[in-house]
């Protein structure tokens, strides 16, 4: 099924838009680790494209190759038509990189960071300072402008980092896990920034571990695991391939889990006990059916402590796509969907 | 019932659209301008973290005072005479030890994401390195000046006068420039900043002590004297002493400059290559 989606999508894209990123067979090994093992990507210009994968999937390594920081062992990639190895200088003029490690200088103030980048990108001193101040204001950092970025919070650092990528608005921007470790408020700020950028026509390659994030922002998603693209499609296609959404229930009394499992099983598919002895989850096609199932539990006198209906988590996507959960690390931090109902 | 909830409505940064819509980008900075910008970065770091200069200045201060008063009388008969003898040595030692920090700073940088940003900018690729080393010249100047001023306060009055001292300082800094590329290379090869520091100091301690910085080589056994005479740091100290005393030796100065040039010629490209390759 994913094969068909991939084919359809590729065909549709080729007809529609020129490609901002065109990678074929990218490979990169570190010693015995094959970090990237034949990645193909076709990202149309002007879109937000998500690369979704668990820890160690090869997302950062892929970005580093596309951003000319690492030379691929095999395969090739073109950025807006320019080869990342042979025309690296040209490519660097077209991209900006917001790395996974905040790419700001911690021993400088926020303002100095931006002035430095503006100078390097060719602004004279006065213009560089003006540009820095405009960006600081737009990103709500004016008050913190004179402080060392060492003392910034994670969210402030991220915003400064993104601001530094926008000193000159680039045609293509790489964002590597821009919201990992941020609180919900900072996360939604970053999302707003990404949407605003996309509206201005910048192509964005967004690496993330969160299906929800890709769903919120990206028009196309590639799921990667062990250095390979294992599925590609629109967020809707991916979610559909998993089952529309997942009901999570936590009982007041773990001893009733068996009963609850039987009752839910009567209405919903794939009822699974969770790791928590009081938890259960099930796949459901729509909200109505979930609501009825929960009501039935209550009707049977099984106390429901919490329930939520959320998008499938990355784990569930992986389970559906590969038959195993994301390896090697268990990803507790992954957003488990759109929040509590 | 909604199956998903949009994030809480936080007002988007208000001026974002305006700040993005800018005039066409200027041409990126040229090699020189980029290098100077990175040198500026180095100076900002010194301003924000002045503690790093304490290491650099405290050790030479201690050495000058200790050597002058502890050994001055015993070795040279009087502290004044000994000061004239060792001050160029202490100056050399102080500045050369500072070069290790060039490698430590680069190693620290490489563990941070900021290097990825620098390397992805459309500027001359060695500019961050060239700029850092240029900025380090200021550090060398500070370390050297501290020693000289302290020496003068203690009674150091060499024959070459102010110009002699300045020439000696300039020569030591020129050599330090060459040597700092060795430590930037080490900074890119070794894993941790501490390792760079240890390797650097372990290399420099024997090199400075097995030189004529603090003792006359002819008081040493023959085999050791041979080593001391071959040590480039002995040449540097001899040349600096000559300049300070107003009795310069052109051949010694030439040897020092040649060694500095050779170190730069070998290790600057090596550093640059390793830096491009990344981690
Ligand atoms: N410089 C390196 N040296 C050795 N191994 C590396 C290096 N960079 C990455 N790897 C390995 O390559 C694999 C892929 O790493 P990569 O950082 O690309 O994953 P990722 O998808 O970005 O993961 P995360 O979500 O944790 O950021 C991992 O197994 C990692 O250990
Ligand atoms: Mg990563």
């Amino acid at each position: 099924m994913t094969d068909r989606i991939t084919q359809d999508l590729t065909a549709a894209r080729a007809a529609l838009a020129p490609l901002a990123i065109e990678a074929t067979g990218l490979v990169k090994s570190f010693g015995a680790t094959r970090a990237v093992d034949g990645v193909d990507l076709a990202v149309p210009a002007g879109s937000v494209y998500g690369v979704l994968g668990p820890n160690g999937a090869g997302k950062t390594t892929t970005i580093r190759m596309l951003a000319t920081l690492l030379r691929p062992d095999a395969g090739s990639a073109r950025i807006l038509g320019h080869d990342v190895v042979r025309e690296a200088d040209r490519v660097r003029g077209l991209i900006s990189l917001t790395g996974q490690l905040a790419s700001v200088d911690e021993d400088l103030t926020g303002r100095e960071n931006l002035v430095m980048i503006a100078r390097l990108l060719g602004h004279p001193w006065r213009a560089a300072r003006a540009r820095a101040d405009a960006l600081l204001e737009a990103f709500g950092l004016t008050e913190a402008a004179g402080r060392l970025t060492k003392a910034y919070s994670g969210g402030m650092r991220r915003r400064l980092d993104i601001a530094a990528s926008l000193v000159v608005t680039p045609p293509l921007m790489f964002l590597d896990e821009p919201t990992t470790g941020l609180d919900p408020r900072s996360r939604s700020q970053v999302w707003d920034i990404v949407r605003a950028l996309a509206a201005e026509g910048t192509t964005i390659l967004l690496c993330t571990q969160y299906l929800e994030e890709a769903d919120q922002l990206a028009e196309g998603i590639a799921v990667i695991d062990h250095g390979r693209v294992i599925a590609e499609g629109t967020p809707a296609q991916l979610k559909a391939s998993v089952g529309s959404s997942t009901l999570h229930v936590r009982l007041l009394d773990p001893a009733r889990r068996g009963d609850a499992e039987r009752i839910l099983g009567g209405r919903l598919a794939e009822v699974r006990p969770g790791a928590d002895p009081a938890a259960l989850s099930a796949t459901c096609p729509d909200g109505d059916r979930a609501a009825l199932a929960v009501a039935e539990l209550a009707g049977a006198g099984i106390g429901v402590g919490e329930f939520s209906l959320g998008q499938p988590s990355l784990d569930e996507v992986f389970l559906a796509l590969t038959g195993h959960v994301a390896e090697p690390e268990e990803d507790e931090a992954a957003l488990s969907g759109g929040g509590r109902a | 019932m909604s199956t998903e909830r949009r994030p809480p409505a936080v007002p988007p940064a208000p001026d974002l659209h305006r700040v993005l819509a800018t005039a066409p980008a200027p041409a990126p900075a040229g090699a020189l301008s980029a290098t100077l910008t990175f040198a500026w970065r180095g100076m900002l770091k010194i301003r924000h973290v002045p503690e790093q200069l304490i290491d650099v200045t405290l050790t030479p201060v201690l050495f000058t005072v200790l050597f002058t008063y502890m050994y001055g009388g015993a070795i040279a008969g009087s502290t004044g005479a000994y000061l004239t003898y060792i001050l160029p040595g202490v100056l050399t030692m102080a500045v050369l030890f500072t070069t290790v920090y060039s490698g430590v700073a680069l190693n620290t940088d490489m563990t941070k994401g900021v290097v990825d940003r620098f390397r992805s900018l459309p500027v001359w690729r060695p500019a961050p390195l060239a700029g850092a080393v240029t900025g380090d010249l200021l550090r060398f100047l500070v370390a050297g000046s501290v020693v000289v001023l302290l020496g003068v306060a203690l009674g150091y009055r060499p024959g070459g006068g102010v110009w002699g001292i300045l020439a000696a300082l300039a020569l030591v800094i020129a050599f330090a420039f060459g040597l700092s590329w060795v430590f930037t290379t080490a900074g890119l090869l070794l894993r941790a900043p501490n390792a760079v520091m240890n390797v650097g100091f372990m290399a420099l301690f024997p090199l400075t002590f097995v030189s004529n910085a603090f003792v006359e080589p002819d008081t040493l056994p023959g085999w050791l004297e041979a080593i001391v005479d071959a040590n480039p740091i002995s040449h540097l100290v001899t040349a600096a002493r000559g300049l300070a005393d107003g009795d310069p030796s052109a051949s010694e100065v030439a040897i020092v400059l040649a060694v500095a040039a050779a170190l730069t010629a070998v290790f600057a490209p090596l550093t640059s290559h390793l830096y491009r390759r990344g981690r």
Side-chain angles (χ1 to χ4, degrees), chain A residues 30 64 67-70 89 92-93 95 97-98 101-109 112 115-117 119-123 125 131 134-135 137-139 148 150 161-162 164-166 168-169 184-185 188-189 191-193 195-197 199-200 212 215-216 239 245 287 291 307 309-311 338-341, chain B residues 1-30 32-38 40-49 52 108-125 127-128 275-279:
Chain A
F30 297 104
R64 287 169 60 83
T68 77
L69 301 180
L70 273 181
D89 287 323
R92 283 196 291 272
I95 60 170
L97 172 71
T98 304
L101 293 167
S103 5
V104 299
D105 194 328
E106 300 194 324
D107 294 331
L108 263 48
T109 66
E112 288 163 351
V115 171
M116 173 174 68
I117 302 295
R119 288 285 299 142
L120 292 170
L121 291 174
H123 286 286
W125 279 105
R131 186 77 189 123
L135 284 162
E137 204 198 325
F139 282 82
L148 294 188
K150 223 191 294 242
D161 204 356
I162 295 175
S165 291
L166 300 179
V168 165
T169 308
R185 187 191 155 87
S188 69
Q189 279 177 337
W191 287 354
D192 285 335
I193 293 167
R195 290 191 189 103
L197 261 175
E200 296 292 328
E212 190 201 2
D215 184 24
Q216 288 271 344
K239 282 188 290 179
S245 42
F307 66 94
L309 187 61
Q311 295 176 13
R340 312 260 164 213
Chain B
M1 178 172 155
S2 156
T3 57
E4 60 176 62
R5 197 183 62 178
R6 292 278 148 180
V10 177
D15 282 342
L16 207 56
H17 288 280
R18 194 171 57 88
V19 90
L20 289 177
T22 48
L32 182 64
S33 166
T35 300
L36 291 178
T37 303
F38 282 112
W40 175 69
R41 167 181 182 245
M43 299 194 187
L44 289 175
K45 282 184 182 243
I46 294 180
R47 208 175 83 198
H48 292 310
V49 197
Q52 56 184 304
T108 311
D109 256 7
M110 293 301 283
T111 61
K112 309 252 166 85
V114 71
V115 161
D116 275 356
R117 180 180 295 286
F118 293 158
R119 291 174 66 235
S120 70
L121 290 174
V123 294
W124 185 53
R125 292 198 105 185
Y275 183 80
R276 271 169 207 239
R277 195 192 60 181
R279 284 248 157 139

Side-chain angles (χ1 to χ4, degrees), chain A residues 54-61 100 176-177 207 209:
Chain A
N55 286 138
K59 303 182 294 295
T60 300
T61 308
Q100 181 168 5
D176 194 355
E177 301 197 24
C207 284
Q209 300 183 21

Side-chain angles (χ1 to χ4, degrees), chain A residues 81-298:
Chain A
H82 300 282
D83 188 276
V84 294
V85 176
R86 283 195 308 278
E87 297 170 274
D89 287 323
R90 193 69 205 276
V91 169
R92 283 196 291 272
L94 298 169
I95 60 170
S96 74
L97 172 71
T98 304
Q100 181 168 5
L101 293 167
S103 5
V104 299
D105 194 328
E106 300 194 324
D107 294 331
L108 263 48
T109 66
R111 189 163 187 262
E112 288 163 351
N113 263 287
L114 295 180
V115 171
M116 173 174 68
I117 302 295
R119 288 285 299 142
L120 292 170
L121 291 174
H123 286 286
W125 279 105
R126 185 193 296 266
R129 282 191 288 260
R131 186 77 189 123
D133 288 337
L135 284 162
L136 288 164
E137 204 198 325
F139 282 82
L141 291 168
T142 304
E143 251 169 63
R147 268 192 276 148
L148 294 188
T149 56
K150 223 191 294 242
Y152 279 21
S153 73
M156 290 161 72
R157 209 176 291 204
R158 260 300 159 199
R159 274 182 282 149
L160 180 68
D161 204 356
I162 295 175
S165 291
L166 300 179
V167 167
V168 165
T169 308
L172 173 64
M173 183 161 170
F174 295 106
L175 279 174
D176 194 355
E177 301 197 24
T179 67
T180 301
L182 297 192
D183 66 18
R185 187 191 155 87
S186 306
R187 181 181 306 140
S188 69
Q189 279 177 337
V190 170
W191 287 354
D192 285 335
I193 293 167
V194 173
R195 290 191 189 103
L197 261 175
E200 296 292 328
T202 291
T203 309
I204 297 169
L205 187 78
L206 170 83
C207 284
T208 178
Q209 300 183 21
Y210 308 140
L211 179 62
E212 190 201 2
E213 180 160 287
D215 184 24
Q216 288 271 344
L217 300 173
E219 291 134 58
I221 300 179
V223 181
I224 76 170
D225 188 25
H226 297 300
R228 289 175 167 280
V229 176
I230 56 171
E232 209 197 352
T234 64
Q237 286 167 334
L238 277 180
K239 282 188 290 179
S241 75
V242 179
S244 45
S245 42
T246 305
L247 173 70
H248 299 272
V249 178
R250 183 124 118 254
L251 306 176
L252 291 175
D253 179 5
R256 304 294 304 272
R257 186 156 81 170
D259 301 334
E261 200 168 341
R262 214 178 42 249
I263 294 174
L264 290 182
R267 291 188 171 272
L268 305 172
E270 295 180 47
V271 181
R272 303 175 289 275
D276 175 341
L280 287 161
S281 63
T283 303
C284 30
D286 57 57
D288 290 348
R289 215 153 329 166
L292 289 172
V294 174
E296 198 166 329
L297 289 181

